[in-house]
Amino acid sequence: MVVLKSEAEIATMREAGRIVANTLAAVAAAARVGVRLIELDELAAGLIASGGAKPSFLNYHPAWAPIPYPGVLCLSVNDVVVHGIPGGRVLAEGDLLSIDCGAYVDGYHGDAAITVPVGQVDDAARRLADATDRALAAGIAAATVGARIGDISHAVETVARETGYGLPDGLGGHGVGKAMHEAPSVPNTGPAGSGMPLREGLVIAIEPMLLEGGGTRCRTLADGWTIATVDGSRAAHFEHTIAVTADGPVILTAP
């Protein structure tokens, strides 16, 4: 069931979103050559707590997962698309790191992601990240009252296809509220004019993931969480939680 949010609820989600945005910025600045992923996770844990929020991802246990999620962040490097578990991996020159963060305040969640270079990356990595960011912007711009979910999907897909990148099967955005993942599903592919109409008070996460190799197939690693490209090509991931309002889409996970 889709639950529309009141102005007060959206205001609370905006507070959660600011903490998410500030955490992402700090983690991105700390993502340097020689840093271990677990160090970035520990940094995020402290920042979320100091902001008066709690992490959305830690111990999250959907039905399909073999274990509760063990980290505060999802940290996905190079060919890992999403859900990379923070551990002892050391960041290296040229890595492409996706940082996904969720936090909640008074029971309401915010969820966002960015992809950042580690040290000097090649031009292809920068183009991939830039296209994914532009796909997110296009999806957000389409999230207006009276439009449909498919308009968001079509906007994201158009940017990906025009730039020659792939979109992973079965991965996309979602509603956000008292649960981190709520209805409706927000696919990254689909025809314009299809799906549920967008109404004022709808809060959703739009999150394109683009695959450098141009394919759609991914694989889940042995930990049951980490999703990586089948062909070993790199991926990028950007995400914002947004509210559909009479004045247009409002990004809740901005600084």
Side-chain angles (χ1 to χ4, degrees), residues 100-202:
D100 193 354
C101 179
Y104 63 96
V105 172
D106 294 336
Y108 288 90
H109 295 261
D111 187 8
I114 57 175
T115 297
V116 299
V118 178
Q120 295 297 316
V121 299
D122 57 40
D123 289 343
R126 294 189 182 279
R127 287 194 298 270
L128 174 64
D130 178 68
T132 311
D133 196 15
R134 287 190 287 111
L136 173 59
I140 292 171
T144 58
V145 173
R148 291 180 175 269
I149 290 287
D151 296 318
I152 299 172
S153 307
H154 179 71
V156 169
E157 184 176 15
T158 296
V159 174
R161 302 303 185 208
E162 287 177 348
T163 48
Y165 298 119
L167 290 156
D169 288 332
L171 297 177
H174 51 89
V176 185
K178 287 187 174 180
M180 183 172 56
H181 292 101
E182 296 184 349
S185 174
V186 186
N188 286 325
T189 62
S194 64
M196 187 191 86
L198 305 182
R199 296 171 56 191
E200 188 174 357
L202 179 67

Side-chain angles (χ1 to χ4, degrees), residues 60-66:
Y60 178 59
H61 196 182
W64 52 264

